[in-house]
Amino acid sequence: MPPIVTFIGWHDCGKTTLASRVVSHLKQLGYQVAVIKSTKETGIVFDTPGTDTHTHRSAGADSVMLVAPDQMVIMTDNRQESLTSLAHRHFPDVDIVIGEGFKEARQVSKIEVFRNSETKELLRNTVTGVIAVASDEQVSGDHVFRLTEAAEIASFIEKRFLQDAGKGADHTTLLINGNRIPMKNFVQDALAGTVCGFVDSLKLGTKVTKTIDIRITLP
């Protein structure tokens, strides 16, 4: 499953502008990138010039998803799936998924875009998973970037999530109710071996099996 990094912040703080520039730099570095955007607005026109989704596509994202209260584009009802579940279901083959919004997402790394310190407080004080802050104001702590440092943020993401992505990466992923369940290597091996054994017994005639996806809906 690809790593997920989501950009969070108060309304009109510049999340889309910074995130799309980071996407562009990641693409220049040779990575496959998907974007999942969350919004509270309804009745949005998708992927037309001037919209945020069009900005991400213009930046070079291979896939873009818009999640809103009344719809989810790719044209389907919003089933209130978690960011992790959406990334796993729709974009398992990209190198990284960049989110926008989803500040309450569990077990997801977040970069906060921060402005207007006189009227707002840092979200990192109230939400989990914030690994960096981008701001032109005086912010203390590790991994603080300026709003113009999209290339530096892309490099930070690359070093933290992508350069050693193949080392020690999980080869078996289990999601329950959209939440990723950590498993030790021997459990991953046991689960994968059991599923592969059943698949092999079906004698489907496929030349090479590379991935197996299973979704189980309990009554």
Side-chain angles (χ1 to χ4, degrees):
M1 190 173 105
I4 305 169
V5 179
T6 189
F7 285 76
I8 66 171
W10 298 101
H11 184 63
D12 285 338
C13 67
K15 295 188 297 293
T16 299
T17 299
L18 182 57
S20 65
R21 289 173 179 169
V22 170
V23 167
S24 183
H25 284 293
L26 288 171
K27 287 297 298 177
Q28 291 174 23
L29 292 169
Y31 295 106
Q32 297 288 304
V33 183
V35 173
I36 303 180
K37 176 181 171 64
S38 175
T39 180
K40 294 181 179 179
E41 299 179 29
T42 60
I44 295 173
V45 179
F46 181 74
D47 204 25
T48 59
T51 62
D52 291 343
T53 49
H54 185 266
T55 299
H56 287 305
R57 288 288 286 173
S58 298
D62 299 287
S63 302
V64 176
M65 179 181 291
L66 174 68
V67 181
D70 61 336
Q71 63 178 327
M72 184 173 70
V73 181
I74 312 165
M75 300 295 295
T76 183
D77 293 338
N78 184 352
R79 295 187 292 269
Q80 306 300 326
E81 294 182 76
S82 68
L83 175 57
T84 303
S85 179
L86 292 171
H88 177 73
R89 180 189 304 278
H90 297 285
F91 308 124
D93 298 323
V94 300
D95 295 308
I96 188 167
V97 173
I98 297 296
E100 186 185 328
F102 302 99
K103 67 178 181 290
E104 303 296 341
R106 298 176 56 193
Q107 299 180 338
V108 172
S109 297
K110 304 174 180 78
I111 296 177
E112 179 174 358
V113 184
F114 182 67
R115 280 181 172 151
N116 301 324
S117 61
E118 294 183 357
T119 58
K120 302 292 185 181
E121 295 184 1
L122 281 162
L123 288 173
R124 73 179 182 186
N125 297 329
T126 58
V127 303
T128 62
V130 177
I131 59 172
V133 175
S135 179
D136 284 339
E137 306 196 29
Q138 294 297 321
V139 177
S140 61
D142 298 331
H143 310 306
V144 177
F145 300 89
R146 311 304 287 174
L147 293 175
T148 55
E149 293 182 322
E152 289 80 0
I153 295 173
S155 179
F156 168 73
I157 291 173
E158 179 184 35
K159 291 177 181 178
R160 186 154 182 155
F161 297 99
L162 297 170
Q163 285 187 336
D164 298 324
K167 298 180 181 178
D170 292 346
H171 58 81
T172 304
T173 303
L174 175 65
L175 275 75
I176 297 180
N177 296 332
N179 298 313
R180 181 177 175 275
I181 307 301
M183 296 185 293
K184 294 183 177 180
N185 287 337
F186 78 91
V187 178
Q188 294 184 43
D189 292 339
L191 181 58
T194 301
V195 173
C196 287
F198 279 114
V199 171
D200 289 341
S201 70
L202 297 176
K203 301 186 184 301
L204 300 176
T206 55
K207 294 182 179 180
V208 178
T209 301
K210 295 183 179 180
T211 62
I212 301 173
D213 297 319
I214 296 179
R215 178 179 176 85
I216 300 174
T217 302
L218 300 177

PDB file of all heavy atoms in Angstrom, residues 12 24 33 55 67 73 81 86 107 110 122 124 129 131 135 143-144 157 164 174 176 200 206 208 214-215:
ATOM      1  N   ASP A  12      -8.804  28.465   3.407  1.00  0.00           N
ATOM      2  CA  ASP A  12      -8.099  29.520   2.678  1.00  0.00           C
ATOM      3  C   ASP A  12      -6.683  29.769   3.200  1.00  0.00           C
ATOM      4  O   ASP A  12      -6.169  30.889   3.129  1.00  0.00           O
ATOM      5  CB  ASP A  12      -8.879  30.845   2.728  1.00  0.00           C
ATOM      6  CG  ASP A  12     -10.090  30.836   1.807  1.00  0.00           C
ATOM      7  OD1 ASP A  12     -10.102  30.027   0.861  1.00  0.00           O
ATOM      8  OD2 ASP A  12     -11.025  31.626   2.050  1.00  0.00           O
ATOM      9  N   SER A  24       3.778  18.481  -8.181  1.00  0.00           N
ATOM     10  CA  SER A  24       4.556  18.745  -9.390  1.00  0.00           C
ATOM     11  C   SER A  24       6.018  18.362  -9.195  1.00  0.00           C
ATOM     12  O   SER A  24       6.640  17.743 -10.073  1.00  0.00           O
ATOM     13  CB  SER A  24       4.432  20.228  -9.768  1.00  0.00           C
ATOM     14  OG  SER A  24       5.113  20.497 -10.974  1.00  0.00           O
ATOM     15  N   VAL A  33       1.945   9.684  -8.574  1.00  0.00           N
ATOM     16  CA  VAL A  33       1.281  10.370  -7.471  1.00  0.00           C
ATOM     17  C   VAL A  33      -0.224  10.412  -7.705  1.00  0.00           C
ATOM     18  O   VAL A  33      -0.679  10.725  -8.807  1.00  0.00           O
ATOM     19  CB  VAL A  33       1.801  11.819  -7.328  1.00  0.00           C
ATOM     20  CG1 VAL A  33       1.159  12.494  -6.117  1.00  0.00           C
ATOM     21  CG2 VAL A  33       3.327  11.853  -7.222  1.00  0.00           C
ATOM     22  N   THR A  55      -6.381  22.123 -10.811  1.00  0.00           N
ATOM     23  CA  THR A  55      -5.030  22.551 -10.440  1.00  0.00           C
ATOM     24  C   THR A  55      -4.133  21.352 -10.199  1.00  0.00           C
ATOM     25  O   THR A  55      -2.989  21.307 -10.652  1.00  0.00           O
ATOM     26  CB  THR A  55      -5.082  23.437  -9.176  1.00  0.00           C
ATOM     27  OG1 THR A  55      -5.863  24.595  -9.450  1.00  0.00           O
ATOM     28  CG2 THR A  55      -3.687  23.858  -8.749  1.00  0.00           C
ATOM     29  N   VAL A  67     -13.593  14.331  -2.672  1.00  0.00           N
ATOM     30  CA  VAL A  67     -14.501  13.793  -1.675  1.00  0.00           C
ATOM     31  C   VAL A  67     -15.261  14.957  -1.054  1.00  0.00           C
ATOM     32  O   VAL A  67     -14.661  15.868  -0.479  1.00  0.00           O
ATOM     33  CB  VAL A  67     -13.739  13.020  -0.580  1.00  0.00           C
ATOM     34  CG1 VAL A  67     -14.715  12.445   0.434  1.00  0.00           C
ATOM     35  CG2 VAL A  67     -12.901  11.917  -1.202  1.00  0.00           C
ATOM     36  N   VAL A  73     -16.128  11.819  -6.414  1.00  0.00           N
ATOM     37  CA  VAL A  73     -15.762  11.679  -7.819  1.00  0.00           C
ATOM     38  C   VAL A  73     -14.428  10.962  -7.852  1.00  0.00           C
ATOM     39  O   VAL A  73     -13.440  11.450  -7.305  1.00  0.00           O
ATOM     40  CB  VAL A  73     -15.637  13.069  -8.482  1.00  0.00           C
ATOM     41  CG1 VAL A  73     -15.279  12.912  -9.957  1.00  0.00           C
ATOM     42  CG2 VAL A  73     -16.900  13.878  -8.320  1.00  0.00           C
ATOM     43  N   GLU A  81     -15.861   6.473   3.568  1.00  0.00           N
ATOM     44  CA  GLU A  81     -14.666   5.677   3.782  1.00  0.00           C
ATOM     45  C   GLU A  81     -13.524   6.546   4.296  1.00  0.00           C
ATOM     46  O   GLU A  81     -13.452   7.737   4.027  1.00  0.00           O
ATOM     47  CB  GLU A  81     -14.230   5.002   2.473  1.00  0.00           C
ATOM     48  CG  GLU A  81     -15.194   3.966   1.949  1.00  0.00           C
ATOM     49  CD  GLU A  81     -14.684   3.311   0.676  1.00  0.00           C
ATOM     50  OE1 GLU A  81     -13.778   2.467   0.769  1.00  0.00           O
ATOM     51  OE2 GLU A  81     -15.177   3.657  -0.405  1.00  0.00           O
ATOM     52  N   LEU A  86      -9.746   4.693   1.049  1.00  0.00           N
ATOM     53  CA  LEU A  86      -9.835   5.243  -0.307  1.00  0.00           C
ATOM     54  C   LEU A  86      -8.536   5.044  -1.068  1.00  0.00           C
ATOM     55  O   LEU A  86      -8.537   4.652  -2.241  1.00  0.00           O
ATOM     56  CB  LEU A  86     -10.177   6.731  -0.239  1.00  0.00           C
ATOM     57  CG  LEU A  86     -11.572   7.093   0.267  1.00  0.00           C
ATOM     58  CD1 LEU A  86     -11.675   8.598   0.487  1.00  0.00           C
ATOM     59  CD2 LEU A  86     -12.638   6.625  -0.709  1.00  0.00           C
ATOM     60  N   GLN A 107      -3.791   7.515  11.934  1.00  0.00           N
ATOM     61  CA  GLN A 107      -2.598   6.816  11.447  1.00  0.00           C
ATOM     62  C   GLN A 107      -2.190   7.304  10.058  1.00  0.00           C
ATOM     63  O   GLN A 107      -1.761   6.509   9.211  1.00  0.00           O
ATOM     64  CB  GLN A 107      -2.835   5.300  11.444  1.00  0.00           C
ATOM     65  CG  GLN A 107      -3.132   4.740  12.827  1.00  0.00           C
ATOM     66  CD  GLN A 107      -3.377   3.242  12.821  1.00  0.00           C
ATOM     67  OE1 GLN A 107      -3.724   2.660  11.796  1.00  0.00           O
ATOM     68  NE2 GLN A 107      -3.211   2.617  13.968  1.00  0.00           N
ATOM     69  N   LYS A 110       0.625  14.017   8.415  1.00  0.00           N
ATOM     70  CA  LYS A 110       0.008  15.274   7.992  1.00  0.00           C
ATOM     71  C   LYS A 110       1.049  16.388   7.954  1.00  0.00           C
ATOM     72  O   LYS A 110       1.946  16.438   8.802  1.00  0.00           O
ATOM     73  CB  LYS A 110      -1.120  15.660   8.950  1.00  0.00           C
ATOM     74  CG  LYS A 110      -2.201  14.587   9.117  1.00  0.00           C
ATOM     75  CD  LYS A 110      -3.208  14.994  10.186  1.00  0.00           C
ATOM     76  CE  LYS A 110      -4.285  13.929  10.345  1.00  0.00           C
ATOM     77  NZ  LYS A 110      -3.827  12.769  11.116  1.00  0.00           N
ATOM     78  N   LEU A 122      -2.454  26.647  15.803  1.00  0.00           N
ATOM     79  CA  LEU A 122      -1.933  25.512  15.043  1.00  0.00           C
ATOM     80  C   LEU A 122      -2.797  24.273  15.285  1.00  0.00           C
ATOM     81  O   LEU A 122      -3.096  23.910  16.427  1.00  0.00           O
ATOM     82  CB  LEU A 122      -0.495  25.221  15.459  1.00  0.00           C
ATOM     83  CG  LEU A 122       0.586  26.133  14.875  1.00  0.00           C
ATOM     84  CD1 LEU A 122       1.862  26.035  15.692  1.00  0.00           C
ATOM     85  CD2 LEU A 122       0.863  25.764  13.419  1.00  0.00           C
ATOM     86  N   ARG A 124      -1.801  21.348  14.818  1.00  0.00           N
ATOM     87  CA  ARG A 124      -0.964  20.276  15.367  1.00  0.00           C
ATOM     88  C   ARG A 124      -1.155  20.129  16.872  1.00  0.00           C
ATOM     89  O   ARG A 124      -0.802  19.092  17.443  1.00  0.00           O
ATOM     90  CB  ARG A 124       0.511  20.518  15.037  1.00  0.00           C
ATOM     91  CG  ARG A 124       1.159  21.638  15.824  1.00  0.00           C
ATOM     92  CD  ARG A 124       2.624  21.819  15.490  1.00  0.00           C
ATOM     93  NE  ARG A 124       3.224  22.864  16.293  1.00  0.00           N
ATOM     94  CZ  ARG A 124       4.465  23.314  16.126  1.00  0.00           C
ATOM     95  NH1 ARG A 124       5.220  22.816  15.165  1.00  0.00           N
ATOM     96  NH2 ARG A 124       4.950  24.269  16.910  1.00  0.00           N
ATOM     97  N   GLY A 129      -0.583  13.188  14.214  1.00  0.00           N
ATOM     98  CA  GLY A 129       0.096  12.832  12.977  1.00  0.00           C
ATOM     99  C   GLY A 129       0.768  13.958  12.231  1.00  0.00           C
ATOM    100  O   GLY A 129       1.251  13.740  11.114  1.00  0.00           O
ATOM    101  N   ILE A 131       3.606  15.947  10.966  1.00  0.00           N
ATOM    102  CA  ILE A 131       5.047  15.704  10.898  1.00  0.00           C
ATOM    103  C   ILE A 131       5.823  16.931  10.452  1.00  0.00           C
ATOM    104  O   ILE A 131       7.055  16.957  10.550  1.00  0.00           O
ATOM    105  CB  ILE A 131       5.361  14.535   9.939  1.00  0.00           C
ATOM    106  CG1 ILE A 131       4.846  14.839   8.527  1.00  0.00           C
ATOM    107  CG2 ILE A 131       4.769  13.227  10.472  1.00  0.00           C
ATOM    108  CD1 ILE A 131       5.283  13.831   7.480  1.00  0.00           C
ATOM    109  N   SER A 135       4.722  27.457   6.852  1.00  0.00           N
ATOM    110  CA  SER A 135       4.173  28.739   7.274  1.00  0.00           C
ATOM    111  C   SER A 135       5.185  29.837   7.024  1.00  0.00           C
ATOM    112  O   SER A 135       6.399  29.595   7.044  1.00  0.00           O
ATOM    113  CB  SER A 135       3.802  28.701   8.764  1.00  0.00           C
ATOM    114  OG  SER A 135       3.296  29.953   9.191  1.00  0.00           O
ATOM    115  N   HIS A 143      11.190  20.415  11.412  1.00  0.00           N
ATOM    116  CA  HIS A 143      10.562  20.304  10.093  1.00  0.00           C
ATOM    117  C   HIS A 143       9.541  21.413   9.859  1.00  0.00           C
ATOM    118  O   HIS A 143       8.344  21.169   9.664  1.00  0.00           O
ATOM    119  CB  HIS A 143       9.909  18.933   9.912  1.00  0.00           C
ATOM    120  CG  HIS A 143      10.814  17.780  10.252  1.00  0.00           C
ATOM    121  ND1 HIS A 143      12.055  17.638   9.672  1.00  0.00           N
ATOM    122  CD2 HIS A 143      10.663  16.740  11.114  1.00  0.00           C
ATOM    123  CE1 HIS A 143      12.628  16.537  10.156  1.00  0.00           C
ATOM    124  NE2 HIS A 143      11.810  15.986  11.038  1.00  0.00           N
ATOM    125  N   VAL A 144      10.008  22.636   9.924  1.00  0.00           N
ATOM    126  CA  VAL A 144       9.195  23.808   9.614  1.00  0.00           C
ATOM    127  C   VAL A 144       9.694  24.404   8.302  1.00  0.00           C
ATOM    128  O   VAL A 144      10.886  24.674   8.150  1.00  0.00           O
ATOM    129  CB  VAL A 144       9.269  24.869  10.734  1.00  0.00           C
ATOM    130  CG1 VAL A 144       8.470  26.112  10.340  1.00  0.00           C
ATOM    131  CG2 VAL A 144       8.726  24.288  12.045  1.00  0.00           C
ATOM    132  N   ILE A 157       9.454  14.674   1.899  1.00  0.00           N
ATOM    133  CA  ILE A 157       8.551  13.536   1.716  1.00  0.00           C
ATOM    134  C   ILE A 157       9.287  12.373   1.070  1.00  0.00           C
ATOM    135  O   ILE A 157       9.131  11.213   1.476  1.00  0.00           O
ATOM    136  CB  ILE A 157       7.334  13.957   0.862  1.00  0.00           C
ATOM    137  CG1 ILE A 157       6.442  14.927   1.656  1.00  0.00           C
ATOM    138  CG2 ILE A 157       6.524  12.735   0.421  1.00  0.00           C
ATOM    139  CD1 ILE A 157       5.317  15.523   0.836  1.00  0.00           C
ATOM    140  N   ASP A 164      13.385   4.576   0.691  1.00  0.00           N
ATOM    141  CA  ASP A 164      13.548   3.207   1.188  1.00  0.00           C
ATOM    142  C   ASP A 164      12.207   2.482   1.233  1.00  0.00           C
ATOM    143  O   ASP A 164      11.989   1.625   2.085  1.00  0.00           O
ATOM    144  CB  ASP A 164      14.174   3.224   2.584  1.00  0.00           C
ATOM    145  CG  ASP A 164      15.568   3.830   2.588  1.00  0.00           C
ATOM    146  OD1 ASP A 164      16.294   3.613   1.605  1.00  0.00           O
ATOM    147  OD2 ASP A 164      15.912   4.526   3.555  1.00  0.00           O
ATOM    148  N   LEU A 174      -4.014  -5.520   5.612  1.00  0.00           N
ATOM    149  CA  LEU A 174      -5.351  -5.854   6.106  1.00  0.00           C
ATOM    150  C   LEU A 174      -6.031  -4.584   6.582  1.00  0.00           C
ATOM    151  O   LEU A 174      -5.503  -3.870   7.440  1.00  0.00           O
ATOM    152  CB  LEU A 174      -5.252  -6.868   7.257  1.00  0.00           C
ATOM    153  CG  LEU A 174      -6.571  -7.228   7.963  1.00  0.00           C
ATOM    154  CD1 LEU A 174      -7.519  -7.947   7.010  1.00  0.00           C
ATOM    155  CD2 LEU A 174      -6.288  -8.086   9.197  1.00  0.00           C
ATOM    156  N   ILE A 176      -9.679  -3.242   8.181  1.00  0.00           N
ATOM    157  CA  ILE A 176     -10.958  -3.603   8.787  1.00  0.00           C
ATOM    158  C   ILE A 176     -11.722  -2.316   9.049  1.00  0.00           C
ATOM    159  O   ILE A 176     -11.233  -1.429   9.758  1.00  0.00           O
ATOM    160  CB  ILE A 176     -10.759  -4.396  10.088  1.00  0.00           C
ATOM    161  CG1 ILE A 176     -10.048  -5.725   9.778  1.00  0.00           C
ATOM    162  CG2 ILE A 176     -12.107  -4.652  10.771  1.00  0.00           C
ATOM    163  CD1 ILE A 176      -9.805  -6.586  11.001  1.00  0.00           C
ATOM    164  N   ASP A 200      -4.476 -20.776  -5.822  1.00  0.00           N
ATOM    165  CA  ASP A 200      -3.805 -21.792  -6.645  1.00  0.00           C
ATOM    166  C   ASP A 200      -4.718 -22.992  -6.887  1.00  0.00           C
ATOM    167  O   ASP A 200      -4.689 -23.610  -7.964  1.00  0.00           O
ATOM    168  CB  ASP A 200      -2.511 -22.251  -5.974  1.00  0.00           C
ATOM    169  CG  ASP A 200      -1.424 -21.190  -6.015  1.00  0.00           C
ATOM    170  OD1 ASP A 200      -1.528 -20.261  -6.849  1.00  0.00           O
ATOM    171  OD2 ASP A 200      -0.474 -21.284  -5.211  1.00  0.00           O
ATOM    172  N   THR A 206      -3.986 -18.256 -14.912  1.00  0.00           N
ATOM    173  CA  THR A 206      -3.217 -17.022 -15.087  1.00  0.00           C
ATOM    174  C   THR A 206      -1.734 -17.353 -15.036  1.00  0.00           C
ATOM    175  O   THR A 206      -1.286 -18.201 -14.268  1.00  0.00           O
ATOM    176  CB  THR A 206      -3.556 -16.008 -13.988  1.00  0.00           C
ATOM    177  OG1 THR A 206      -3.354 -16.636 -12.717  1.00  0.00           O
ATOM    178  CG2 THR A 206      -5.001 -15.556 -14.090  1.00  0.00           C
ATOM    179  N   VAL A 208       1.072 -15.334 -14.267  1.00  0.00           N
ATOM    180  CA  VAL A 208       1.784 -14.863 -13.085  1.00  0.00           C
ATOM    181  C   VAL A 208       0.809 -14.082 -12.204  1.00  0.00           C
ATOM    182  O   VAL A 208       0.156 -13.154 -12.671  1.00  0.00           O
ATOM    183  CB  VAL A 208       2.984 -13.956 -13.463  1.00  0.00           C
ATOM    184  CG1 VAL A 208       3.667 -13.441 -12.195  1.00  0.00           C
ATOM    185  CG2 VAL A 208       3.978 -14.717 -14.335  1.00  0.00           C
ATOM    186  N   ILE A 214      -8.911  -8.892  -1.865  1.00  0.00           N
ATOM    187  CA  ILE A 214     -10.095  -9.542  -1.327  1.00  0.00           C
ATOM    188  C   ILE A 214     -10.900  -8.525  -0.520  1.00  0.00           C
ATOM    189  O   ILE A 214     -10.324  -7.778   0.288  1.00  0.00           O
ATOM    190  CB  ILE A 214      -9.735 -10.740  -0.421  1.00  0.00           C
ATOM    191  CG1 ILE A 214      -9.036 -11.835  -1.239  1.00  0.00           C
ATOM    192  CG2 ILE A 214     -10.974 -11.294   0.266  1.00  0.00           C
ATOM    193  CD1 ILE A 214      -8.625 -13.022  -0.401  1.00  0.00           C
ATOM    194  N   ARG A 215     -12.207  -8.496  -0.737  1.00  0.00           N
ATOM    195  CA  ARG A 215     -13.083  -7.656   0.090  1.00  0.00           C
ATOM    196  C   ARG A 215     -14.172  -8.558   0.642  1.00  0.00           C
ATOM    197  O   ARG A 215     -14.895  -9.238  -0.109  1.00  0.00           O
ATOM    198  CB  ARG A 215     -13.700  -6.531  -0.736  1.00  0.00           C
ATOM    199  CG  ARG A 215     -14.663  -5.652   0.067  1.00  0.00           C
ATOM    200  CD  ARG A 215     -15.218  -4.538  -0.786  1.00  0.00           C
ATOM    201  NE  ARG A 215     -16.208  -3.735  -0.076  1.00  0.00           N
ATOM    202  CZ  ARG A 215     -15.926  -2.718   0.711  1.00  0.00           C
ATOM    203  NH1 ARG A 215     -14.660  -2.373   0.885  1.00  0.00           N
ATOM    204  NH2 ARG A 215     -16.872  -2.048   1.340  1.00  0.00           N
TER     205      ARG A 215
END
